[in-house]
Amino acid sequence: MRKILANIFTFELLWCVLGPGIGIGVYFLTYWNWNSLPSGVNLADGDQSYDERFVAERALSDLDSLTSRGPRVAGSVTNERFAVDFLYGAVEGIAREALPEYEISYDVQRVDGSYFLDYDDYPITSYYRNVQNIVVSVVRRSSFSGKYLLLNAHFDSAVTSPGAGDDGTMVVVMLELLRQLTQNANPSIQNGLLFLFNGCEENTMQGAHGFVRGHPLAQSVAAFINLDVAANSGREIMFQSGPNYPFLMAYYRDYVRRPYANTLGEEVFQMGLVPSFTDYETLSKQGGWPGLDFALSSYGYLYHTALDARETISTGTLQHIGDNLLGLVRALGNADELRNIREHREGTAVFFDFMHLFLVYYTETTGLIINNLLGVFSLALIVGTLFMFVRKDGAVGTNVLFEAGMALIVQTLSIVLGAGCSVLIAVIFDACGRSMSWFSSTWLLFGLYFVPCITGLILGPFLYVHFRKIPFLHDQGRVILFLHAQHCIYAVLLITLSIGGIRSAFVLLFPVIFYCATTIINMILRFRLNVWIYVHLVGQLIPIIYFCTLTVTLFAVFIPMTGRSDNRSNPDLQMGLFSALLTLLLVGLLTPFIVLFRRKLYVFGTLLLFFLVTAIVAATPEGFPFRENTSPQRYYIFHQQRNFYWSNGTLRDSGAIYYIQPQDRHTPDLLQSEVPEWSKATVLGDECERELYCGIPFYINRYHRQSEKSYWLPALEPPVFPEPVVFQFLSRESPTAERHRLYFSVRGPSHMSLYVSPLSGRKLVGWSFSDQIPPSGKRWKNQDVYFVNIFLGSLDLSPVTFYIEIEQQPTYQETDGSLFYLSVVAQYMHHDNVYRAHEFQTLLDKMPKYAHTVAYQGYLIFISNDQQVVGRNSPTEQIRCNDLQDPGILSFLRVQGCVCVKSVGSIRAVRRMLSI
């Protein structure tokens, strides 16, 4: 029995238990550290011992008030009146209690404007009217530099969302900062502070643009801090800085209590891998100011949902944000650099925190020098070690170099194999309909994707050593060669990425620096058998801790985002590749030790057991991606009325549909399996060939990217519209034979948009929405397509009058007077549910409990050229009066002299050709 037990309880088994145990322990230690927040300061505490501390309880009370009326969608009464009145009153109260040494002025800015957003394939011309911002200026009477630090947060919310997190959290933080900075004498501020509470961010960041272009104090802004949210709790991350003013990061390093910042986050965001935009880009590009971009970004399951409620925000989160920002704002409020900021333009910065304890920051140039020097030094160190082997063991130099080269090849192939295993599992799980099993149970990722990658990494060294025996190098020496090979890969990547301008290459500094350090120590010890192993393992502790922190951050940020992307790509593939990269960083310098295990079966058996247990759990209800109150599935379902007209005003097609905008891999499969009515929904298909942008009234044109996998269902009942769309053709001018300017007006809800697509041989040369014509978005049937987003604020829904000017090439003759296609789109985002049609509400009532649904009505008027649209009714078909129930179309046709007349047995339409 003793002998049997001795064979079972071996050194290998000990490490198979101890190794994962240590790894899990370190991971949970970093998770606990990341999740630990300060206790919130209460009002009672503030009266006693926290006179200059941020008071989270008061901020939370403000948040209660701000969210008490529900969603604050731009254009709604709640946003345009209630939120503005609440914030104005709060600012007024703070100003009354301010110290006399501070001069506080505040106003409600109402601003009109337009600007161009140059997004890939789907650019937007954003036009707005009567956007409301609350602007608060704070200056010290006795000493004011003339320059301002701007703090910005938006008080509007997404559709259906109370907006407690996005962006109510940052709004109430700004209110409390305003209190603390104006009601405490020390330290005083020398620069001015501008608090911008902007009222329209969710609709193409129009509030921030209105401030930049329309407020007189904007010209005195030197730098800004943007505060936004893509989650509901936790720490705020500083993920964008500058550009080109690294002194801002120096202030962040010196004055933020609990830093959480990473260049990797900045580069990932700027590459477009995060499906969000913030006011940072508007303030930076339109204002030309450097700044810092903060956001809550972890566990964003409730972001932009009805569950983003006050109850999800903790005092710890508010206290953490407030403490960090209070110190930073006070410091920048006295920063000499803001007085002559252009003198401090020095290039971008590299920055990262370690365990949220301290921040490492240096310029990009410094980073390039450090990375290249360390990379070259690492390679030289490897060469030096190989020469030591030759001298110490008396081996032939060429043999050692050959084995080192083979180790590099094997290690590279092992990385490919490990990543391939993770990708293969991702493909299999997606094919079996079990994708996103980790969405609510993050721990499943470790068994599903980390374990296969580890298996691939150890398989290469194991097989090579097993089948290739060499007499001049012992097993520990061969392990060293594999470790050197992995280190060589890191060093080459460090040099390559740095030269390529990738600042996130700093991540590789952790394994490179500590491996170099332990290698130097082991060279001094002459790689003494067994001893060098423990030196190496101790040197891996800090890199593993850092990469565990990075793993926590990446999964907390990116996993929720897979629930609000689309259904075309496999999110398991994304998570599999993420896992493979993190696995390589975590254990890349540990897996070669498989060579030293005598009973390697224990290692492979343990990995297989972990994988099988995880895979089985993923196939159970635990692996179902969504949860009712914590991680819901998102649906965007629109009830849309679509009216298609020929260019002469004849109605060629009309009807109502339900349209599903996909949000995740399981749209609409889960819905169709649970609600029978949705099983009849089909993809748009050839509708996208027949109609401009599929004939769908998209709220934002980039939704068209997903049109191939978007679904629709005919509606039996038309939608109900609180405010009718009244679209009118006003007049036409022809300055030359080739140029034609047409004037229109449109009246409707607060959110509208236009699609303008000149026909072949025609060109858009002017319009009301900008001085210059922007580039076309994604073309349709070889025609340019221009998109205008229109927002009407302050509850002013008076008509928008505009013109469109088209130039026609002389070689193209006007056969029917047509010049362009025009779509008028209206979105009813913030109206009461009483306006929903009964059929629509019945469908929504049947939605699964784990689903969060954004649902509202949309309307489309589409006017096309009868010579090019095919597959529809004949242009000679008579208009029937009952087809013309829409007041907007009736008005539109009346202007053209089009009337409906009843005659014996038929209905005839007398028309006058509409010249568009």
Side-chain angles (χ1 to χ4, degrees):
M1 178 62 69
R2 183 177 297 176
K3 186 174 181 180
I4 294 175
L5 291 176
N7 286 328
I8 295 176
F9 296 102
T10 61
F11 175 78
E12 287 82 1
L13 181 61
L14 174 65
W15 272 106
C16 286
V17 175
L18 191 60
I22 294 174
I24 293 171
V26 171
Y27 182 82
F28 276 104
L29 174 65
T30 58
Y31 179 82
W32 169 82
N33 177 70
W34 174 81
N35 211 35
S36 297
L37 297 172
S39 299
V41 173
N42 298 320
L43 288 169
D45 299 329
D47 291 338
Q48 297 172 14
S49 58
Y50 293 95
D51 289 342
E52 296 184 2
R53 284 286 304 277
F54 184 93
V55 181
E57 184 185 19
R58 189 159 45 200
L60 200 61
S61 176
D62 287 338
L63 189 60
D64 274 326
S65 300
L66 182 62
T67 59
S68 61
R69 300 286 184 89
R72 303 178 304 280
V73 181
S76 68
V77 174
T78 308
N79 189 72
E80 305 300 315
R81 286 187 183 163
F82 167 74
V84 171
D85 291 345
F86 166 75
L87 291 171
Y88 191 88
V91 170
E92 195 171 38
I94 293 170
R96 282 196 301 266
E97 298 177 5
L99 296 176
E101 63 193 80
Y102 291 108
E103 179 182 347
I104 301 178
S105 59
Y106 47 93
D107 67 290
V108 177
Q109 179 197 23
R110 291 182 177 87
V111 61
D112 306 340
S114 68
Y115 66 112
F116 177 64
L117 298 168
D118 190 16
Y119 298 143
D120 292 341
D121 295 333
Y122 295 94
I124 297 173
T125 297
S126 181
Y127 172 87
Y128 56 91
R129 191 179 69 193
N130 285 330
V131 163
Q132 296 188 102
N133 297 321
I134 297 175
V135 184
V136 185
S137 166
V138 179
V139 298
R140 185 177 174 85
R141 297 181 190 274
S142 59
S143 58
F144 173 42
S145 67
K147 294 296 182 181
Y148 282 95
L149 172 69
L150 172 70
L151 282 79
N152 172 71
H154 67 92
F155 60 83
D156 65 315
S157 71
V159 182
T160 75
S161 175
D166 183 24
D167 194 19
T169 295
M170 295 303 188
V171 168
V172 299
V173 164
M174 277 178 47
L175 285 176
E176 183 61 19
L177 289 175
L178 180 60
R179 287 190 187 97
Q180 293 296 328
L181 291 165
T182 60
Q183 295 174 10
N184 293 294
N186 296 313
S188 60
I189 57 173
Q190 307 301 316
N191 301 310
L193 298 177
L194 274 179
F195 291 79
L196 171 60
F197 301 90
N198 91 68
C200 189
E201 187 267 356
E202 299 293 354
N203 196 70
T204 65
M205 290 82 71
Q206 291 164 331
H209 183 269
F211 170 79
V212 173
R213 296 301 185 191
H215 200 280
L217 291 180
Q219 61 186 354
S220 300
V221 171
F224 69 92
I225 296 176
N226 184 56
L227 304 172
D228 211 335
V229 165
N232 293 74
S233 199
R235 298 169 178 266
E236 88 289 347
I237 185 171
M238 203 293 296
F239 65 101
Q240 291 193 91
S241 71
N244 301 319
Y245 292 85
F247 79 89
L248 292 170
M249 285 308 306
Y251 276 87
Y252 180 89
R253 176 194 62 199
D254 296 338
Y255 293 99
V256 167
R257 286 191 175 194
R258 307 173 190 93
Y260 186 27
N262 201 304
T263 298
L264 178 61
E266 178 177 89
E267 292 193 323
V268 166
F269 190 89
Q270 292 174 353
M271 285 191 295
L273 299 180
V274 177
S276 294
F277 303 97
T278 74
D279 283 325
Y280 176 89
E281 62 177 331
T282 300
L283 297 173
S284 177
K285 294 179 181 179
Q286 298 292 330
W289 309 316
L292 300 172
D293 202 3
F294 290 80
L296 289 176
S297 58
S298 303
Y299 296 122
Y301 293 108
L302 310 183
Y303 170 72
H304 280 195
T305 74
L307 299 172
D308 181 11
R310 147 69 187 86
E311 292 74 23
T312 65
I313 309 301
S314 68
T315 55
T317 292
L318 293 174
Q319 192 66 49
H320 184 274
I321 300 170
D323 286 346
N324 282 349
L325 289 175
L326 188 56
L328 179 62
V329 172
R330 279 175 172 160
L332 287 174
N334 282 301
D336 291 333
E337 290 89 345
L338 266 60
R339 303 187 183 200
N340 298 289
I341 194 165
R342 299 304 171 191
E343 297 178 2
H344 300 278
R345 182 183 175 95
E346 300 176 6
T348 53
V350 177
F351 52 90
F352 57 92
D353 68 280
F354 182 78
M355 294 285 288
H356 321 305
L357 300 174
F358 59 88
L359 186 84
V360 177
Y361 143 81
Y362 45 85
T363 65
E364 184 178 14
T365 302
T366 302
L368 180 64
I369 296 171
I370 291 174
N371 293 351
N372 285 322
L373 287 178
L374 274 173
V376 172
F377 178 73
S378 298
L379 298 176
L381 202 61
I382 292 172
V383 174
T385 306
L386 295 180
F387 278 111
M388 176 181 284
F389 281 2
V390 172
R391 295 182 60 184
K392 178 182 176 183
D393 298 331
V396 178
T398 54
N399 290 340
V400 173
L401 289 176
F402 176 80
E403 284 303 315
M406 289 301 298
L408 180 60
I409 293 173
V410 170
Q411 197 66 17
T412 302
L413 293 176
S414 298
I415 294 172
V416 174
L417 178 61
C421 289
S422 294
V423 168
L424 179 62
I425 298 300
V427 172
I428 292 174
F429 266 70
D430 183 64
C432 295
R434 302 304 300 180
S435 63
M436 297 179 67
S437 59
W438 35 262
F439 187 71
S440 296
S441 303
T442 305
W443 66 273
L444 291 174
L445 282 168
F446 294 95
L448 290 177
Y449 297 120
F450 279 69
V451 166
C453 187
I454 292 173
T455 303
L457 288 175
I458 66 175
L459 199 58
F462 160 67
L463 291 176
Y464 184 74
V465 172
H466 180 75
F467 289 105
R468 177 172 170 78
K469 307 295 183 182
I470 54 176
F472 58 87
L473 208 57
H474 50 73
D475 284 349
Q476 291 191 28
R478 302 187 76 174
V479 170
I480 293 171
L481 291 183
F482 284 119
L483 292 175
H484 279 357
Q486 184 62 56
H487 182 60
C488 178
I489 293 171
Y490 288 148
V492 171
L493 282 175
L494 179 64
I495 295 171
T496 304
L497 294 176
S498 299
I499 294 175
I502 307 298
R503 288 174 291 143
S504 300
F506 80 85
V507 170
L508 296 170
L509 288 177
F510 284 89
V512 167
I513 289 175
F514 285 92
Y515 188 83
C516 285
T518 56
T519 299
I520 291 172
I521 294 172
N522 281 322
M523 289 178 73
I524 296 172
L525 297 174
R526 300 184 62 82
F527 283 93
R528 184 175 176 183
L529 288 178
N530 297 324
V531 174
W532 75 268
I533 295 176
Y534 297 102
V535 172
H536 173 78
L537 292 177
V538 170
Q540 290 302 298
L541 185 60
I542 298 299
I544 288 175
I545 289 174
Y546 179 77
F547 290 131
C548 280
T549 304
L550 188 62
T551 301
V552 170
T553 297
L554 288 177
F555 285 162
V557 171
F558 283 100
I559 287 177
M561 288 181 184
T562 60
R564 53 185 177 94
S565 52
D566 59 54
N567 58 357
R568 294 171 298 170
S569 58
N570 178 6
D572 274 61
L573 192 59
Q574 176 186 346
M575 287 300 117
L577 291 172
F578 264 139
S579 299
L581 175 61
L582 292 169
T583 301
L584 180 64
L585 294 172
L586 281 164
V587 300
L589 290 171
L590 297 177
T591 50
F593 283 101
I594 182 68
V595 172
L596 302 181
F597 283 64
R598 289 190 301 167
R599 294 177 175 85
K600 300 175 179 62
L601 184 62
Y602 279 25
V603 178
F604 288 106
T606 302
L607 293 172
L608 180 61
L609 179 64
F610 283 172
F611 173 75
L612 290 177
V613 169
T614 307
I616 292 171
V617 172
T620 68
E622 177 66 22
F624 185 75
F626 309 108
R627 305 290 188 270
E628 182 176 349
N629 295 316
T630 55
S631 49
Q633 186 184 23
R634 297 165 184 260
Y635 284 97
Y636 279 64
I637 301 178
F638 308 123
H639 189 191
Q640 298 173 336
Q641 175 69 38
R642 306 187 303 161
N643 291 343
F644 299 89
Y645 293 86
W646 300 111
S647 59
N648 61 6
T650 307
L651 183 71
R652 62 180 174 86
D653 193 27
S654 177
I657 66 168
Y658 300 112
Y659 171 73
I660 302 177
Q661 180 69 28
Q663 293 292 303
D664 67 77
R665 189 63 164 176
H666 294 281
T667 305
D669 298 342
L670 287 179
L671 183 60
Q672 291 178 327
S673 66
E674 298 206 21
V675 183
E677 288 85 346
W678 288 109
S679 62
K680 299 177 183 178
T682 59
V683 293
L684 292 174
D686 60 358
E687 195 76 2
C688 296
E689 289 295 320
R690 285 203 302 257
E691 304 292 355
L692 174 65
Y693 276 37
C694 308
I696 297 296
F698 294 117
Y699 159 54
I700 290 295
N701 54 342
R702 65 175 178 271
Y703 284 3
H704 183 257
R705 289 174 179 161
Q706 298 155 258
S707 57
E708 294 179 359
K709 287 293 185 178
S710 297
Y711 286 72
W712 70 317
L713 180 70
L716 300 178
E717 197 173 351
V720 180
F721 299 115
E723 296 137 359
V725 176
V726 180
F727 174 63
Q728 294 181 320
F729 170 79
L730 300 178
S731 63
R732 169 173 173 160
E733 297 176 356
S734 298
T736 67
E738 291 79 26
R739 287 204 171 197
H740 308 277
R741 177 178 287 192
L742 289 81
Y743 290 85
F744 302 89
S745 78
V746 60
R747 178 167 63 85
S750 57
H751 291 75
M752 296 187 290
S753 52
L754 301 174
Y755 285 92
V756 180
S757 181
L759 299 178
S760 180
R762 283 80 166 174
K763 181 181 178 182
L764 179 65
V765 293
W767 63 0
S768 305
F769 304 109
S770 59
D771 295 332
Q772 295 181 338
I773 299 302
S776 167
K778 185 177 178 64
R779 290 165 64 85
W780 179 79
K781 287 192 173 181
N782 203 34
Q783 294 179 197
D784 289 337
V785 181
Y786 303 91
F787 177 77
V788 184
N789 175 269
I790 299 174
F791 172 73
L792 308 177
S794 303
L795 305 180
D796 177 12
L797 301 182
S798 57
V800 175
T801 302
F802 63 94
Y803 71 84
I804 296 172
E805 186 169 343
I806 300 294
E807 183 177 72
Q808 180 175 326
Q809 296 180 13
T811 54
Y812 286 82
Q813 299 296 321
E814 277 193 74
T815 58
D816 65 346
S818 298
L819 297 172
F820 57 90
Y821 290 175
L822 178 64
S823 291
V824 180
V825 174
Q827 309 287 349
Y828 295 82
M829 293 182 167
H830 51 75
H831 299 81
D832 293 337
N833 294 347
V834 295
Y835 291 106
R836 286 181 185 161
H838 176 72
E839 181 189 37
F840 189 29
Q841 187 61 56
T842 301
L843 279 175
L844 296 177
D845 291 341
K846 295 181 180 180
M847 296 296 291
K849 291 183 178 180
Y850 56 79
H852 164 73
T853 306
V854 172
Y856 56 83
Q857 303 93 287
Y859 183 74
L860 169 72
I861 300 172
F862 180 61
I863 305 167
S864 62
N865 172 26
D866 56 353
Q867 300 299 316
Q868 296 200 10
V869 177
V870 295
R872 293 291 184 182
N873 299 329
S874 167
T876 61
E877 181 181 341
Q878 306 297 312
I879 296 180
R880 301 197 323 272
C881 288
N882 59 2
D883 286 332
L884 302 178
Q885 298 300 316
D886 185 338
I889 295 301
L890 287 172
S891 173
F892 169 73
L893 295 175
R894 277 198 297 270
V895 172
Q896 303 311 309
C898 179
V899 297
C900 290
V901 288
K902 294 185 178 181
S903 61
V904 178
S906 67
I907 297 175
R908 299 176 54 200
V910 180
R911 312 178 189 88
R912 185 175 65 193
M913 295 294 286
L914 172 62
S915 298
I916 66 171

